[in-house]
């Protein structure tokens, strides 16, 4: 009987809060934003973090990760100092609209999943639409380096990339070079630090692998490239996490030799 009455009491509260959307919004944001994740908040609302693949511990923070960290540092956390949920809630309600909006943005940003299924290579269509609205250009946020990309792919792929951005003559310069040397040269080229033709520089600065692009809602999967360069260490998926297709067709690479690039 008491359980039945509790349900009916809940229904009264639910029906009443319909008339105060502002209070409902505060309650929702509070339940989603509170870092302590109290279980006594009386709601099923949760802001669970995505189950991302394990990333290398020594990987430096990216520009996007630093931007998120800076946003967290700027949050008004005064309300989180209280120990009981009611006082915490009242403290959150007292924040101005801008402070609440900043918490909302962090909650949403922290909830985004890299992919719907880590065994598939695709961009969530809604993510693609959000990126379109925000006019995101991935190349301005992320640049390939030896550590995050070039060291992890085959020599043949590096030569194909050089062909793509600078033509066959550029790739021909590195035919006899070891993969490590080509990787270092690619890092400078794709960072815009190499002395080269303006057209080649622009193409290199605009390039990102397909797995970093939002405008490709569906990308065909490909086999991992096998690097048979003597003395070069291969890439182990288990050391880095999930991998994606570089975009073999765009790079002029045979599908059987397409490389796998990390997101």
């Amino acid at each position: 009987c008491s359980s039945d009455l509790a349900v009916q009491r809940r229904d009264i509260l639910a029906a009443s809060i319909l008339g105060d959307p502002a209070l409902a919004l505060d309650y929702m944001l509070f339940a989603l934003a509170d870092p302590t994740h109290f279980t006594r908040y009386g709601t099923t609302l949760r802001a669970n973090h995505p189950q991302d693949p394990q990333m290398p511990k020594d990987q430096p923070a990216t520009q996007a990760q630093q931007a998120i960290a800076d946003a967290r540092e700027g949050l008004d956390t005064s309300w989180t100092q209280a120990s009981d949920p009611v006082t915490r809630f009242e403290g959150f309600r007292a924040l101005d609209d801008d402070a609440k909006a900043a918490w909302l943005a962090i909650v949403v940003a922290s909830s985004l999943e890299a992919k719907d299924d880590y065994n598939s290579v695709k961009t969530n269509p809604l993510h693609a639409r959000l990126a379109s609205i925000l006019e995101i250009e991935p190349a301005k946020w992320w640049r390939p380096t030896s550590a995050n990309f070039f060291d992890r792919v085959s020599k043949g792929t590096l030569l194909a990339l050089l062909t793509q951005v600078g033509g066959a003559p550029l790739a021909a310069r590195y035919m006899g070079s070891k993969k490590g040397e080509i990787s270092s040269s690619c890092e400078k080229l794709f960072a815009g630090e190499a002395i080269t033709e303006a057209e080649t520089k622009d193409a290199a600065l605009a390039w990102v692998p397909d797995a970093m692009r939002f405008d490709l809602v569906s990308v065909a999967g490909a086999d991992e490239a096998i690097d048979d360069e003597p003395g070069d260490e291969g890439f182990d998926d288990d050391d880095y996490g999930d991998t994606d297709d570089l975009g073999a067709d765009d790079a002029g690479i045979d599908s059987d030799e397409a490389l796998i690039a990390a997101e």
Side-chain angles (χ1 to χ4, degrees):
C1 180
S2 60
S3 295
D4 292 345
L5 294 177
V7 171
Q8 295 178 62
R9 181 187 63 201
R10 185 278 316 277
D11 289 345
I12 292 173
L13 176 60
S16 299
I17 205 170
L18 293 175
D20 195 338
L23 178 60
L25 181 59
D26 279 348
Y27 182 40
M28 178 190 73
L29 290 180
F30 171 70
L32 295 176
D34 194 335
T36 62
H37 302 295
F38 273 105
T39 58
R40 303 191 302 277
Y41 284 177
T43 177
T44 59
L45 290 169
R46 295 289 186 276
N48 296 326
H49 287 239
Q51 297 297 314
D52 288 340
Q54 185 175 359
M55 305 295 281
K57 296 180 180 179
D58 58 348
Q59 179 174 294
T62 64
Q63 182 181 344
Q65 290 169 341
Q66 188 60 54
I68 296 171
D70 291 344
R72 287 188 181 279
E73 287 292 325
L75 292 172
D76 185 339
T77 59
S78 58
W79 59 277
T80 65
Q81 306 305 312
S83 59
D84 68 282
V86 173
T87 304
R88 294 169 76 88
F89 176 55
E90 292 301 340
F92 184 82
R93 288 188 66 203
L95 297 179
D96 60 33
D97 289 344
D98 288 342
K100 292 177 183 177
W103 275 100
L104 171 61
I106 280 292
V107 167
V108 173
S110 301
S111 73
L112 296 176
E113 294 187 317
K115 292 189 297 183
D116 293 332
D117 181 353
Y118 282 108
N119 292 321
S120 64
V121 181
K122 59 184 177 180
T123 300
N124 184 297
L126 278 176
H127 285 193
R129 178 54 184 151
L130 290 173
S132 174
I133 294 172
L134 294 169
E135 299 182 344
I136 296 175
E137 295 182 40
K140 292 184 177 181
W141 285 88
W142 181 92
R143 300 311 305 136
T145 66
S146 293
N148 71 15
F149 188 80
F150 298 124
D151 282 350
R152 302 174 54 216
V153 300
S154 68
K155 177 179 176 179
T157 294
L158 296 180
L159 294 174
L161 287 177
L162 290 172
T163 301
Q164 181 183 351
V165 301
L170 177 61
R173 300 178 197 171
Y174 297 93
M175 285 294 185
S177 301
K178 288 187 173 296
K179 181 188 154 186
E181 297 172 348
I182 304 176
S183 174
S184 297
S185 296
C186 283
E187 181 172 66
K188 294 179 181 179
L189 174 63
F190 285 78
E193 299 173 355
I195 300 176
T196 185
E197 295 81 1
E199 183 177 342
T200 298
K201 181 177 181 179
D202 291 342
L205 286 174
W207 183 88
V208 293
D210 284 349
M212 294 294 295
R213 294 172 58 183
F214 289 100
D215 56 343
L216 295 182
V217 175
S218 180
V219 180
D223 294 332
E224 180 181 357
I226 299 175
D227 183 4
D228 55 4
E229 178 74 6
D232 288 329
E233 294 183 359
F235 168 63
D236 185 353
D237 286 348
D238 293 336
D239 291 338
Y240 201 92
D242 191 45
T243 54
D244 275 334
D245 179 26
L246 168 67
D249 293 337
D250 290 343
I253 308 168
D254 186 271
S255 60
D256 292 334
E257 290 296 322
L259 68 145
I260 303 296
E263 289 185 327

